[in-house]
Amino acid sequence: GNSVTQMEGPVTLSEEAFLTINCTYTATGYPSLFWYVQYPGEGLQLLLKATKADDKGSNKGFEATYRKETTSFHLEKGSVQVSDSAVYFCALSHNTNAGKSTFGDGTTLTVKP
Amino acid sequence: NAGVTQTPKFRVLKTGQSMTLLCAQDMNHEYMYWYRQDPGMGLRLIHYSVGEGTTAKGEVPDGYNVSRLKKQNFLLGLESAAPSQTSVYFCASRRSSATLSLTFGPGTRLTVT
């Protein structure tokens, strides 16, 4: 079956530090890959996505590249802000099987001033 | 557009009581999903629907029932609540089979004592 493994947290960084949150996946075929972000007390929001190998998703300074050879989709940001403090979820989904998504366990990021 | 809304936001139940969680979306989305979120376990799919009048079991369906009588609404029922159902419940939707990213509601925090 499908699975997503995320870097364990929590992650604590100082403002303007470089962020990497690792995500690897196991899936058949060619899934689409996603990063969702959950701010305190809210639901998840789509942060970025990539639908095929070598695609780069980007949004709000965050980037992730779909690497089929390493089955990875690591999230990066060059300079984090306090407002980036949240829980980040990596996920995958296929066009088949009702498009059900498989989520990682989430990584909590805290950015200190 | 209100997006995806969930009612109620918080609820406390005693063991054995029943309740219904309501999810509503005004985006004309075909697919709707119910997830539960527990610490360290990511999101787990309870039930889902691929269109009005259809429902199907997800990963953890036991103790829950669902109905999708209208396209815009997806109801999650707990017939006899148990402490193990203490969780945060998220509803999500997506437009069609061509769109795999999800739009989430704000969540319902349920405590069963």
Side-chain angles (χ1 to χ4, degrees):
Chain A
N2 299 329
S3 67
V4 175
T5 302
Q6 278 183 243
M7 167 177 169
E8 285 193 24
V11 175
T12 303
L13 295 173
S14 297
E15 208 165 20
E16 298 184 2
F18 184 86
L19 168 71
T20 300
I21 300 178
N22 290 339
C23 171
T24 57
Y25 68 90
T26 301
T28 54
Y30 302 92
S32 292
L33 301 175
F34 306 86
W35 277 101
Y36 289 87
V37 59
Q38 183 181 30
Y39 298 104
E42 298 183 10
L44 282 70
Q45 303 173 24
L46 179 66
L47 180 59
L48 53 84
K49 66 179 181 182
T51 58
K52 60 183 187 297
D54 299 326
D55 266 3
K56 178 186 282 188
S58 61
N59 186 25
K60 299 181 181 179
F62 291 89
E63 293 183 341
T65 300
Y66 190 141
R67 301 284 187 201
K68 188 155 178 65
E69 63 276 12
T70 54
T71 61
S72 65
F73 193 55
H74 304 322
L75 182 68
E76 296 181 336
K77 186 175 186 182
S79 177
V80 293
Q81 306 300 312
V82 172
S83 57
D84 294 326
S85 298
V87 182
Y88 293 82
F89 291 90
C90 185
L92 67 83
S93 185
H94 284 95
N95 250 336
T96 57
N97 199 18
K100 289 183 286 184
S101 297
T102 300
F103 290 85
D105 289 345
T107 302
T108 301
L109 170 67
T110 301
V111 181
K112 297 191 171 179
Chain B
N1 287 350
V4 179
T5 58
Q6 292 184 233
T7 310
K9 288 185 167 48
F10 303 94
R11 186 72 185 269
V12 178
L13 287 179
K14 294 188 189 306
T15 298
Q17 287 184 319
S18 64
M19 78 164 294
T20 300
L21 282 68
L22 170 63
C23 175
Q25 53 92 5
D26 61 0
M27 299 171 288
N28 201 34
H29 283 185
E30 289 292 333
Y31 297 75
M32 297 186 75
Y33 306 83
W34 275 108
Y35 290 91
R36 58 178 290 172
Q37 182 181 35
D38 301 293
M41 299 185 76
L43 278 80
R44 292 182 292 168
L45 181 64
I46 306 171
H47 286 281
Y48 64 98
S49 169
V50 301
E52 180 180 310
T54 74
T55 63
K57 294 180 181 179
E59 189 183 345
V60 288
D62 293 344
Y64 305 95
N65 56 75
V66 287
S67 65
R68 184 128 181 246
L69 299 179
K70 294 183 179 180
K71 186 176 184 178
Q72 62 267 35
N73 296 337
F74 195 30
L75 279 64
L76 178 71
L78 286 73
E79 291 184 346
S80 179
S84 61
Q85 293 178 305
T86 294
S87 187
V88 181
Y89 292 86
F90 288 101
C91 177
S93 69
R94 66 185 182 96
R95 185 169 59 230
S96 68
S97 58
T99 306
L100 292 177
S101 58
L102 297 170
T103 302
F104 281 85
T108 294
R109 183 173 294 276
L110 174 66
T111 302
V112 183
T113 61

